[in-house]
Amino acid sequence: MNERVENADIDLMTEIATLYYVEGETQEVIANRLGISRVRVGRLLKRAQAEGIVDVRVRQHPAVSAEIERELKRRFGIKRALIALDQGDADAQRSAVASLVADHLSRSLVEGSIVTVGMGRNVGAVADNVFTQGERKCSFVCAIGGSQRAGEYMNPDHICRRLAMKFGGDSETLYAPALVQSTALRDELYENHTVRQTLDRARRADFALVGVGDLSEDSNMVRMGWFSPQEIAEARLSGTVGDIMGCHFIDIHGRPSATPMQGRVIGLGLTDLARIPDVIAIASENTKAAGILGALRTGVVDTLATSATNAHTILRLDEATAAAH
């Protein structure tokens, strides 16, 4: 919140927002009651949104969402699907999907819950969209190592700390790099006591927040320089359509893809994720439909959070590739 916002302004914005959004009063009635102009009421309502006092969200009609969710649950055996309305730009779409995940966590977390957290823009956006009252005293544990190139916003450590601040509780860092040069070095780091201790705690999680990636030019792995353009091109040719949590590369049938990029990331494995009761896979970008389909077919996803367009595309793509699967 802007530090220059005075307490009196905050109180006034909160009062006006409550009268308008909760009690359903018109701006004219509010202006007369508070002895201010209608124009000022309108400006303060806009300012209340900008300052985070008001969180306005438009949902897809429950009947439409329920029909898509039923079909996704039937085909892939997931527990739930969180389907966001399509938005006009990437940031708005990411926020819309993330807000559904944040609401799901707000309803589901109880004292003592453990959430293990992956990396990326979609996972990071969840922390931005948490609006909840009361502390949960939960633990947020990194599911993957860190990367300086990712920047604070997308790093699991930073995301864990932001979630802990929003929900109350603690965060735990995985003190290891996300990417190493070889499988041998990865295995050696897995034997480190500190690394093993954090990953063991992550394995006991009740929830996992993981991103689903693709191999587009805008993917995290390309932008962070984890893999060369040649490696990305070869992975595509080998049938790789995406990844789960930035480290498990899969084909469209949900099988591990045959690419040298496998086995170099420090983090939870697919078998670890499969044991977690609620693995929440988050993907807002419309370029990720094939990757999401592959992720669903692995069987480790319990909750899918994505856009309406992606949901429909996934169902059509599933039909088109069902025979081969």
Side-chain angles (χ1 to χ4, degrees):
M1 184 174 292
N2 191 324
E3 292 180 357
R4 286 182 281 181
V5 176
E6 300 291 339
N7 288 336
D9 290 341
I10 294 172
D11 292 342
L12 183 57
M13 284 188 286
T14 303
E15 183 178 4
I16 290 173
T18 302
L19 289 169
Y20 186 74
Y21 290 106
V22 179
E23 298 184 15
E25 299 287 5
T26 65
Q27 292 186 26
E28 186 174 352
V29 168
I30 296 169
N32 291 334
R33 181 185 297 187
L34 299 179
I36 59 178
S37 70
R38 186 178 178 279
V39 171
R40 190 178 179 204
V41 170
R43 286 174 180 167
L44 287 171
L45 282 170
K46 289 182 179 179
R47 191 174 166 193
Q49 288 191 48
E51 297 290 348
I53 294 171
V54 173
D55 174 34
V56 179
R57 303 183 185 186
V58 179
R59 308 265 189 225
Q60 187 155 250
H61 191 283
V64 178
S65 294
E67 184 179 349
I68 300 172
E69 182 178 21
R70 276 195 302 272
E71 190 61 20
L72 289 166
K73 288 165 68 175
R74 184 185 70 81
R75 293 201 200 180
F76 304 109
I78 60 177
K79 296 175 183 175
R80 66 190 62 80
L82 308 174
I83 309 300
L85 282 170
D86 292 328
Q87 303 294 323
D89 65 82
D91 289 338
Q93 188 67 73
R94 192 174 300 114
S95 180
V97 172
S99 71
L100 296 181
V101 177
D103 288 349
H104 172 55
L105 288 177
S106 296
R107 292 190 301 268
S108 305
L109 293 180
V110 296
E111 186 170 338
S113 292
I114 299 176
V115 183
T116 189
V117 179
M119 69 171 9
R121 289 173 292 183
N122 284 296
V123 178
V126 175
D128 292 339
N129 285 275
V130 174
F131 300 95
T132 186
Q133 299 294 324
E135 292 190 354
R136 301 297 204 287
K137 295 183 180 178
C138 302
S139 295
F140 298 89
V141 184
C142 293
I144 186 173
S147 171
Q148 185 178 12
R149 289 185 178 182
E152 279 196 346
Y153 184 83
M154 295 193 299
N155 253 311
D157 170 61
H158 189 64
I159 299 170
C160 281
R161 284 187 277 120
R162 287 160 53 215
L163 287 167
M165 188 180 300
K166 292 287 186 75
F167 282 110
D170 61 89
S171 65
E172 183 170 336
T173 301
L174 176 57
Y175 289 105
L179 180 72
V180 294
Q181 295 302 311
S182 66
T183 301
L185 181 54
R186 180 204 64 177
D187 293 343
E188 187 176 340
L189 280 169
Y190 277 157
E191 294 303 314
N192 177 275
H193 173 73
T194 302
V195 172
R196 187 170 64 246
Q197 187 176 38
T198 298
L199 286 176
D200 283 346
R201 193 176 186 209
R203 291 183 181 103
R204 299 195 300 272
D206 306 290
F207 303 86
L209 296 179
V210 301
V212 177
D214 58 14
L215 296 185
S216 71
E217 289 74 13
D218 191 45
S219 70
N220 283 339
M221 291 172 292
V222 174
R223 286 183 293 103
M224 291 188 297
W226 280 15
F227 303 107
S228 69
Q230 183 179 350
E231 287 175 307
I232 296 294
E234 289 173 354
R236 286 175 178 166
L237 289 173
S238 73
T240 304
V241 295
D243 67 88
I244 299 175
M245 212 172 70
C247 55
H248 304 296
F249 299 95
I250 50 177
D251 65 18
I252 201 165
H253 307 296
R255 299 184 293 250
S257 57
T259 169
M261 298 192 309
Q262 298 275 28
R264 292 169 51 192
V265 176
I266 309 294
L268 294 182
L270 287 180
T271 54
D272 297 322
L273 291 175
R275 297 188 188 103
I276 294 173
D278 191 0
V279 174
I280 305 166
I282 314 166
S284 64
E285 298 84 355
N286 291 340
T287 59
K288 294 183 175 180
I292 298 168
L293 177 58
L296 289 170
R297 286 173 168 175
T298 65
V300 306
V301 175
D302 300 288
T303 298
L304 172 65
T306 193
S307 67
T309 290
N310 271 345
H312 288 293
T313 303
I314 291 160
L315 293 173
R316 290 195 297 269
L317 197 55
D318 179 57
E319 291 174 357
T321 60
H325 177 62

